[in-house]
Amino acid sequence: MDLNDLYRDVIVDHNRNPRNFRPMPDADRHAEGFNPLCGDRLTLFVKLDGDRISDVSFQGSGCAISVASASLLTESVKGRTVPEAERLFATMHALLTQDDAPVDVPSLGKLGALSGVREFPARVKCASLCWHTLDAALHRQSEPVKTE
Ligand code: ZN
């Protein structure tokens, strides 16, 4: 199995069985995101313990890439501090939008599966929507995030 097969399996798995896919009535922060190009919609919920993200979940509907990306996001930022999550957001943004991004993809673990999206420019916003929505939630931005 080569790396592309492995990455495809990660996307398929997280789309079929999204992790942390649930509402969070006691969330400290939440934000909504919408990608009109594809119709992806999601609400991201964050629970904070000081500056640590103690819990994160999402709800919504969208294409396989958007659901898998949000699922991978929740697994990746849970337990991290807000500054760590912000750095990961910057890394993922570079990974998704720059062909020659100085990103050590293997070090990202499963998140590296999203690097394949770069080859499909129309899908980049599907993958980045949840990250922009997380950024909005952490910054208490009240306007819904739109990728357009
Ligand atoms: Zn999409």
Side-chain angles (χ1 to χ4, degrees), residues 35 38 40 62-63 65-66 123 126:
N35 171 18
C38 182
D40 310 315
C63 67
I65 299 282
S66 70
R123 313 311 298 277
C126 301

Side-chain angles (χ1 to χ4, degrees), residues 53 81-91 134-136 138-139:
I53 297 170
T81 63
V82 170
E84 283 169 351
E86 294 290 349
R87 275 198 293 280
L88 194 57
F89 166 65
T91 300
L134 172 69
D135 190 51
L138 294 177
H139 286 108

Side-chain angles (χ1 to χ4, degrees), residues 46-101:
V46 176
K47 194 156 181 55
L48 293 170
D49 178 11
D51 82 335
R52 194 167 291 279
I53 297 170
S54 58
D55 198 8
V56 53
S57 70
F58 76 106
Q59 293 241 278
S61 62
C63 67
I65 299 282
S66 70
V67 172
S69 183
S71 173
L72 287 162
L73 176 152
T74 62
E75 274 200 332
S76 307
V77 303
K78 200 168 173 173
R80 290 194 194 238
T81 63
V82 170
E84 283 169 351
E86 294 290 349
R87 275 198 293 280
L88 194 57
F89 166 65
T91 300
M92 292 308 294
H93 193 258
L95 178 75
L96 291 168
T97 58
Q98 299 169 26
D99 277 340
D100 54 353

